[in-house]
Amino acid sequence: MFQRRRAAAGAAAADGSDKGERWREAETKARAVLKVVKSSFARIIRYFVFEQAVEETDATVASDDNTVIIVLGASGDLAFKKTYPALFGLFKNGFLPKNCQIVGYSRSAIALPDFHARISSKIKFASETERGLLPSFLARCTYVSGKYDDMASFERLNEFVSAVEVPGAARRHRIFYMALPPSVFIPASRGLKAKVYSNSGANRLIVEKPFGKDYDSSKELSVALGTDWSEDEIFRIDHYLGKEMVKSIMVFRFANLFFGAIWNRNYISNVQITFKEKIGTEGRGGYFDEFGIIRDVMQNHLLQILTVVAMERPLSLDAEDIRNEKVKVLRQVQPIKMENVLLGQYVANDDHTEAGYIDDPTVPRGSLTATYAAAALFISSERWEGVPFILKCGKALNEAKAEIRIQFRDVAGSLYDNIGRNELVIRVQPNEALYIKLCSKEPGLSNLPVMSELDLSYSTRYRDVKIPDAYESLILDVLREDKSNFVRDDELDAAWKIFTPLLHKIEKEQIRPAPYKFGSRGPPGTDAFIEKFGYKRSKDYKWGFHL
């Protein structure tokens, strides 16, 4: 809309009239109004603008608009394990636009029935009614093969996409989901812009991590994408930002008075953000070895969670206001010191039923790549000065979970001996929950304090609610043009500036990770490392969910 107004303003200025000035005034006022109304309600309105008949000031967005989602890398693991099941989830709940087609694109020559069988293999059904919707969903899913570095292939893709679009559509929106390795990001994005870009609707480019390997490679990728695509069109996806409990953090923080009062260094001793996997690399060691656990998990998933936990209250729920605060936090993170880092690499378990990392034939011999990392980050701000944010992530551990654990300080002048500290724990996965560890009187005739919890477990409180997959939630955000949960270019720059010096030091000095057994809690010294930053473990306490 604004592009058309600018064109009109330019034409008016060129013929010497006052129309150009009036157009500029109108645009300024329109932008001011838009800034005010961009709220949660405004996002819902924008979604229905995208899907249904709503009038705009200078154009009509009608129900016969056409939307095509092009999934690049459609034959790969990410597409059939995550992307297509997420799209089916949106379809069954009525969130895909009415005239929406899904086109798969990859280098593999696959017959359509075989492609349908592949993308259906990971779709889960809660009922036979849902299963009955699958044929209608697959009828929207087509496939075409082609190269990622060949303009002729993209011309054929454009012809294919144009053929599946509904004839006579008022506007033609195209969403490009790049489920691709980073080596082909740039040629694929250029081919899409040159040959498949829609000139009569919205274009959105979804880019999957990894966004480079360090600051320089990330910047190179950002510059290359920015040559052809505007920042407004690029959606850098970090699926952890789409997880239910991560999306809930802002509500917990800013809609509850008591959390706001204690969310600072005066009350909080330390924060732990943890990601644990039970599995190893499972034959993907060659890929993993190129990146390592810090790049694969810590620099993106855990750091993004940190920003939401630590950010100041944004001016509004507008995406840019939220992301502005996240960037401020990242710029306040102090350089990471090597003495505040613990690295590990898993080895075979005692009976050798689980192999070690370097036993994987796809891993280079003698690899020093870490499969476990813990790092303490400090934020130079009035709110967080001196509070350690301990990020922990690893493979081949004793359990699979992701959680945020906020531990509060000791009670000053306590009347009771040996009481545990209060903690707020946000369980991201599995078994989504928020619980607060607190002391209560032991039931009965005793007056002794005992550690217990206030427990908001979603499986019991929201028994009849289906929590959507993170990809399902984020693709819906793309359809709604809500960028709150996507990574902005300056946010990415700031994140890499934190970790690039550390990564280069580890690689240059060939720092050897400590071995830990497959299925253990991590490298020896993990508990001592965490305790060094003030964490005090509650003895004999176990969260009630597991009792």
Side-chain angles (χ1 to χ4, degrees):
M1 183 170 70
F2 289 128
Q3 287 81 355
R4 287 191 290 273
R5 288 177 175 171
R6 281 195 211 98
D15 73 19
S17 71
D18 293 332
K19 292 181 180 178
E21 185 62 28
R22 291 199 298 273
W23 273 111
R24 283 189 290 272
E25 289 181 18
E27 181 176 345
T28 300
K29 291 178 181 178
R31 287 188 180 278
V33 171
L34 186 61
K35 186 73 173 177
V36 172
V37 301
K38 272 187 174 180
S39 61
S40 296
F41 179 74
R43 293 190 191 100
I44 296 171
I45 293 296
R46 279 206 304 274
Y47 173 61
F48 285 105
V49 165
F50 196 83
E51 184 183 22
Q52 299 178 357
V54 178
E55 290 189 354
E56 286 186 329
T57 55
D58 61 343
T60 300
V61 179
S63 59
D64 60 354
D65 275 8
N66 197 89
T67 300
V68 178
I69 300 172
I70 300 101
V71 181
L72 292 92
S75 63
D77 282 359
L78 176 63
F80 88 90
K81 289 180 179 178
K82 295 294 184 180
T83 311
Y84 278 94
L87 290 169
F88 177 76
L90 294 175
F91 171 77
K92 73 182 182 183
N93 290 307
F95 284 112
L96 288 184
K98 177 183 176 183
N99 294 326
C100 179
Q101 301 295 317
I102 303 167
V103 176
Y105 180 82
S106 73
R107 288 179 287 216
S108 304
I110 307 173
L112 187 58
D114 294 335
F115 179 70
H116 281 171
R118 180 171 175 79
I119 63 176
S120 303
S121 63
K122 295 297 181 180
I123 294 176
K124 298 177 181 179
F125 308 100
S127 65
E128 286 304 311
T129 301
E130 284 190 5
R131 187 182 297 275
L133 295 173
L134 182 61
S136 298
F137 173 71
L138 294 178
R140 295 174 179 242
C141 299
T142 51
Y143 179 80
V144 60
S145 62
K147 299 177 180 179
Y148 299 122
D149 57 355
D150 175 46
M151 287 298 174
S153 292
F154 284 106
E155 287 179 2
R156 290 193 296 273
L157 174 60
N158 184 60
E159 292 171 0
F160 189 92
V161 171
S162 298
V164 301
E165 287 176 324
V166 176
R171 298 175 70 190
R172 298 170 183 265
H173 309 297
R174 292 181 179 179
I175 296 172
F176 306 98
Y177 194 121
M178 297 213 300
L180 296 170
S183 58
V184 294
F185 277 177
I186 295 174
S189 68
R190 286 174 177 166
L192 292 172
K193 181 60 186 287
K195 300 298 182 181
V196 201
Y197 192 87
S198 173
N199 294 314
S200 61
N203 293 272
R204 292 160 197 169
L205 184 73
I206 304 174
V207 184
E208 276 279 357
K209 80 171 187 74
F211 310 118
K213 295 180 66 177
D214 57 13
Y215 176 80
D216 289 339
S217 59
S218 173
K219 195 68 177 177
E220 180 183 356
L221 176 60
S222 292
V223 170
L225 290 176
T227 301
D228 298 307
W229 300 82
S230 71
E231 181 62 23
D232 287 343
E233 293 174 324
I234 299 172
F235 290 72
R236 297 176 191 84
I237 193 169
D238 184 325
H239 74 275
Y240 260 66
L241 290 176
K243 291 188 176 292
E244 180 67 26
M245 299 308 293
V246 177
K247 296 184 83 168
S248 298
I249 292 172
M250 280 189 57
V251 179
F252 293 147
R253 285 194 58 191
F254 302 120
N256 293 292
L257 181 64
F258 58 94
F259 282 151
I262 61 176
W263 210 266
N264 56 63
R265 61 187 173 88
N266 297 323
Y267 296 94
I268 293 176
S269 170
N270 58 81
V271 178
Q272 291 185 62
I273 303 174
T274 303
F275 170 92
K276 300 175 74 173
E277 278 188 323
K278 294 180 70 173
I279 61 173
T281 53
E282 297 192 329
R284 296 178 63 251
Y287 168 82
F288 181 85
D289 199 77
E290 186 180 351
F291 295 94
I293 196 70
I294 294 177
R295 290 184 176 95
D296 193 43
V297 178
M298 185 178 288
Q299 184 271 341
N300 38 71
H301 300 332
L302 301 192
L303 191 63
Q304 283 296 318
I305 293 175
L306 179 150
T307 62
V308 185
V309 171
M311 63 186 266
E312 295 297 322
R313 176 178 172 174
L315 293 174
S316 73
L317 293 176
D318 176 74
E320 298 313 307
D321 287 338
I322 293 171
R323 297 196 293 180
N324 285 344
E325 295 303 329
K326 291 171 65 182
V327 171
K328 288 179 184 177
V329 170
L330 293 173
R331 289 175 176 169
Q332 292 172 328
V333 174
Q334 299 174 13
I336 304 173
K337 298 178 180 179
M338 196 63 223
E339 58 262 33
N340 292 343
V341 177
L342 176 66
L343 301 176
Q345 185 186 91
Y346 69 85
V347 297
N349 59 1
D350 288 335
D351 59 9
H352 290 270
T353 55
E354 298 288 357
Y357 177 69
I358 58 174
D359 298 326
D360 185 333
T362 64
V363 173
R365 285 183 174 272
S367 170
L368 297 178
T369 298
T371 60
Y372 178 96
L377 279 62
F378 291 87
I379 300 170
S380 295
S381 70
E382 183 179 6
R383 181 184 295 273
W384 297 116
E385 187 71 35
V387 177
F389 283 75
I390 306 164
L391 310 186
K392 302 182 299 177
C393 50
K395 289 182 171 292
L397 297 173
N398 61 319
E399 61 180 331
K401 73 173 182 181
E403 71 174 22
I404 305 154
R405 184 175 295 268
I406 299 168
Q407 187 174 78
F408 294 88
R409 296 188 179 277
D410 292 320
V411 176
S414 176
L415 297 172
Y416 302 97
D417 296 328
N418 301 318
I419 60 172
R421 284 178 165 180
N422 298 134
E423 291 183 0
L424 169 65
V425 182
I426 301 174
R427 175 63 70 96
V428 177
Q429 66 180 31
N431 307 317
E432 293 89 345
L434 178 145
Y435 63 95
I436 301 174
K437 289 172 57 177
L438 46 71
C439 289
S440 62
K441 188 184 93 58
E442 186 176 25
L445 299 178
S446 170
N447 287 320
L448 295 176
V450 62
M451 186 62 73
S452 186
E453 72 278 325
L454 298 176
D455 188 348
L456 172 59
S457 290
Y458 278 44
S459 60
T460 54
R461 179 63 179 83
Y462 303 111
R463 195 181 304 274
D464 299 324
V465 177
K466 164 73 167 60
I467 295 177
D469 176 79
Y471 282 93
E472 188 177 333
S473 176
L474 291 173
I475 293 173
L476 180 58
D477 284 344
V478 175
L479 290 169
R480 291 172 168 172
E481 203 178 356
D482 180 358
K483 302 193 74 172
S484 303
N485 299 302
F486 294 86
V487 182
R488 203 167 63 188
D489 55 352
D490 57 342
E491 190 177 349
L492 186 61
D493 288 349
W496 276 119
K497 284 180 179 178
I498 294 169
F499 280 96
T500 294
L502 173 67
L503 290 165
H504 286 180
K505 181 179 180 65
I506 292 170
E507 291 161 357
K508 181 180 179 180
E509 299 181 10
Q510 295 188 318
I511 296 174
R512 185 172 296 275
Y516 65 95
K517 293 179 182 179
F518 195 114
S520 67
R521 294 181 60 245
T526 297
D527 289 343
F529 176 85
I530 299 167
E531 290 167 2
K532 179 174 74 172
F533 297 102
Y535 178 70
K536 295 183 179 180
R537 190 177 301 277
S538 298
K539 297 179 181 179
D540 302 323
Y541 171 80
K542 201 171 186 181
W543 178 33
F545 185 88
H546 298 290
L547 294 180

